Amino acid sequence: MSNAGSGSGIDLGALRLMQAIRDQGTLTAAAEHLGVSQPAVSQNVQRLERRLGTPLLVRAGRSVRLTEAGEVLARHGESVSAALRAAEAEVVSITGLQSGLVRLAAFPSSTSALVPRALAILRERHPGVSVRLDEVEPPQSLALVRTGEVDVALAFAYEGTDLGRGEDDLSGLSMERLLEDPVLLALPRDHELASRADLSLADAKDEHWIAGCPRCRGHLMSSARASGFTPDITFATDDPSAVLGLVGEGLGVGLLPGMVRSIARGYSGVVLREVAGVSPRSVSAVTSPDLLAVPAVRSFLEAVRDAVAESV
């Protein structure tokens, strides 16, 4: 790690130092993350505080928190780190996309159909570009984009909790809305409601319910409340395939996004029905503005758009 240097005392090393302390929570953990000793971290912080003339840390037992000035440095550290990653990725990819890596965070139901098709399109066009995929729900996936741990997040939001509001703060990020995904009622094929026309959510008020991820469960609860009932939730799982399996065995009903239609075909005991009283969800791609200029990221987003167009 470089010392603070001359002038203001702020250089790339200082920004990375404050970002590491904020993200790791202790000086010891920050030192391990940076590959230096804990005394070196302490000395660099003290030197930086002297040169800037303001405290950067507040110590609370073994942990530390940043002052307002420290938070400013950490935030700019994120921006600089993202710019460096973007520069490196663009240089690597500049020779006709012969290589490149896109780090993707996507929610589980998107990995059942949309993501595989997008990856197939990308491989056909640019076989040298690879994608590292992690299944992560929003808002955690958006936080990974902000900290630079992933390049692109596929995220969703329901009406009233749109991306860019509340916990999904998108300030400084780039969002592209991809599609409106209908939310469907999953029923056992032999259920009395399975063949009924013009279903409403209230028709299933007396059923046992299988809830999805926390965000999906919140949508179920608010939709049911608006329909005049509280759902009896007997199971909860983040895995859409598990929901389909449970419904197929007659253990309850559930709400699932239209995106899972392709995998639902493999569950002969389940039908998916449109249902009144439930709003669709919006699906978006989120990345850093700097990364939009990176050929590998740009090509991946093009593949996602084409996969969406095929599904529609």
Side-chain angles (χ1 to χ4, degrees):
M1 183 192 313
S2 64
N3 290 340
S6 59
S8 69
I10 301 176
D11 62 3
L12 179 58
L15 297 179
R16 283 177 166 170
L17 170 64
M18 300 312 297
Q19 183 185 359
I21 294 172
R22 184 201 62 188
D23 294 345
Q24 302 303 316
T26 68
L27 297 183
T28 299
E32 292 177 356
H33 179 75
L34 295 170
V36 298
S37 67
Q38 192 272 344
V41 168
S42 297
Q43 292 167 11
N44 274 276
V45 171
Q46 292 168 5
R47 188 178 296 113
L48 190 56
E49 288 177 328
R50 287 196 299 270
R51 293 193 176 185
L52 295 178
T54 186
L56 300 175
L57 301 180
V58 176
R59 290 167 175 80
R62 294 184 178 180
S63 63
V64 294
R65 64 176 179 84
L66 302 189
T67 64
E68 184 176 1
E71 288 285 355
V72 168
L73 296 182
R75 187 174 70 249
H76 283 284
E78 286 182 7
S79 301
V80 171
S81 296
L84 289 174
R85 287 192 302 273
E88 181 180 3
E90 190 167 357
V91 169
V92 168
S93 304
I94 203 167
T95 58
L97 284 174
Q98 294 178 0
S99 64
L101 171 66
V102 179
R103 299 167 302 167
L104 170 66
F107 53 94
S109 56
S110 72
T111 64
S112 66
L114 176 60
V115 170
R117 184 59 193 139
L119 296 182
I121 293 172
L122 181 67
R123 183 176 61 183
E124 181 180 347
R125 295 173 181 172
H126 308 291
V129 176
S130 58
V131 177
R132 190 191 75 197
L133 169 64
D134 290 312
E135 278 195 341
V136 187
E137 300 276 3
Q140 290 84 359
S141 57
L142 304 179
L144 293 176
V145 175
R146 186 173 297 284
T147 60
E149 294 176 68
V150 301
D151 303 312
V152 179
L154 296 183
F156 68 90
Y158 292 103
E159 189 176 87
T161 58
D162 297 336
L163 290 179
R165 296 170 56 184
E167 61 183 355
D168 291 342
D169 177 23
L170 297 181
S171 57
L173 299 179
S174 174
M175 181 192 78
E176 177 182 351
R177 182 160 292 182
L178 298 171
L179 77 153
E180 290 293 306
D181 194 22
V183 176
L184 307 173
L185 179 62
L187 294 161
R189 185 168 294 277
D190 59 0
H191 196 285
E192 61 177 355
L193 296 178
S195 59
R196 184 184 298 183
D198 302 322
L199 276 179
S200 69
L201 192 63
D203 291 330
K205 62 183 176 63
D206 296 324
E207 302 296 327
H208 295 303
W209 283 86
I210 301 157
C213 68
R215 181 163 290 194
C216 302
R217 180 171 181 161
H219 180 239
L220 167 61
M221 296 297 293
S222 61
S223 299
R225 187 164 50 249
S227 296
F229 72 98
T230 300
D232 176 16
I233 296 175
T234 55
F235 299 101
T237 172
D238 292 350
D239 185 352
S241 296
V243 176
L244 289 166
L246 292 166
V247 171
E249 293 295 337
L251 298 173
V253 303
L255 293 180
L256 285 171
M259 196 173 285
V260 306
R261 283 190 181 105
S262 60
I263 63 172
R265 297 189 188 103
Y267 292 82
S268 59
V270 179
V271 293
L272 298 179
R273 295 289 312 280
E274 293 183 0
V275 58
V278 180
S279 61
R281 65 178 186 176
S282 61
V283 178
S284 302
V286 180
T287 187
S288 161
D290 293 330
L291 292 174
L292 289 173
V294 177
V297 172
R298 189 168 60 245
S299 297
F300 172 74
L301 292 174
E302 290 171 358
V304 172
R305 292 185 203 108
D306 289 344
V308 168
E310 288 183 11
S311 68
V312 172

